[in-house]
Amino acid sequence: MLNLVLFGPPGAGKGTQSQKLIEKYNLVHLSTGDILRGEISNGTALGLEAKKLMDEGVLVPDEVVIGMISNKLDANKEANGFIFDGFPRTVAQAEALDNLLSSKGEAISGMIALEVEPVELEKRLLLRGKDSGRPDDQNPEIIKKRVEEYNSKTAQVAGYYKEQGKFTSVNGIGTIEDIFTIISKVVDTY
């Protein structure tokens, strides 16, 4: 099974490249935000627990998110693999994900990080903000904070996968197709 973690700061092109990877390799997209919303709308026990916490303004604990990911993995046993989007964001989450996958006889195949300079990210996000109307993509100060948060938190996660020999950095500047060709070459080595 091919299990990918696609990383990159906001505006690096994760969404675009994820979609292309899903199509080429027939993967199931696991976005923790989508999973949370799905569990809540389906009224599952984990979804109700998450909603209660979110309504109180509390972050949903890792074990609840891992439980939801476990449900999603079990519901897609015939999949060729999964692409993890927005998770793991911390080393503790990466360890929990490894433990979960190991319990199912699986593992992360690799982590691919799209690297893009902050100036380019800001340009891309401001452009995206004009098209999408997303307020968090229209304010340069918020963009800087999001990129700083990504850099401070995910550096450790990248180190975690580097130690396992599963980390690859890919330049996220170029045409969508050129970047996808490079990513595909990396994925084909898994």
Side-chain angles (χ1 to χ4, degrees):
M1 201 177 262
L2 179 62
N3 295 308
L4 301 175
V5 176
L6 188 61
F7 256 54
K14 292 182 306 295
T16 301
Q17 296 299 334
S18 279
Q19 209 43 56
K20 294 180 82 53
L21 288 164
I22 289 163
E23 290 166 18
K24 179 172 182 175
Y25 297 98
N26 195 24
L27 303 174
V28 173
H29 185 236
L30 285 183
S31 158
T32 50
D34 291 348
I35 292 170
L36 271 170
R37 286 185 288 279
E39 294 274 336
I40 291 168
S41 71
N42 290 335
T44 68
L46 286 172
L48 294 172
E49 184 179 343
K51 181 169 180 2
K52 182 174 156 274
L53 293 167
M54 290 163 70
D55 287 348
E56 293 169 6
V58 179
L59 283 176
V60 178
D62 290 351
E63 55 271 12
V64 173
V65 176
I66 284 288
M68 291 177 180
I69 290 173
S70 180
N71 291 346
K72 196 80 168 165
L73 295 173
D74 291 344
N76 291 280
K77 288 184 189 228
E78 304 305 314
N80 285 341
F82 297 87
I83 188 162
F84 293 89
D85 178 358
F87 192 88
R89 289 182 188 228
T90 64
V91 171
Q93 289 177 351
E95 290 169 345
L97 181 59
D98 276 356
N99 292 334
L100 171 66
L101 290 170
S102 177
S103 76
K104 297 178 184 300
E106 293 297 331
I108 290 296
S109 307
M111 174 192 191
I112 299 171
L114 291 170
E115 306 289 347
V116 180
E117 292 298 316
V119 173
E120 177 66 18
L121 291 172
E122 186 174 330
K123 241 192 311 188
R124 288 181 184 184
L125 289 169
L126 288 170
L127 271 174
R128 185 170 84 182
K130 285 180 187 169
D131 295 337
S132 71
R134 282 178 52 173
D136 57 337
D137 285 346
Q138 295 173 7
N139 182 324
E141 286 308 307
I142 292 174
I143 290 170
K144 280 188 181 90
K145 278 186 185 155
R146 288 168 59 206
V147 171
E148 284 168 13
E149 178 155 327
Y150 167 83
N151 288 331
S152 69
K153 291 201 172 138
T154 58
Q156 295 86 7
V157 177
Y160 175 81
Y161 287 110
K162 277 180 190 167
E163 285 175 20
Q164 296 181 16
K166 295 180 177 181
F167 175 84
T168 304
S169 174
V170 171
N171 184 346
I173 297 182
T175 69
I176 291 169
E177 284 308 318
D178 287 348
I179 296 165
F180 184 65
T181 298
I182 294 165
I183 292 172
S184 293
K185 285 179 184 167
V186 172
V187 171
D188 291 343
T189 66
Y190 302 147

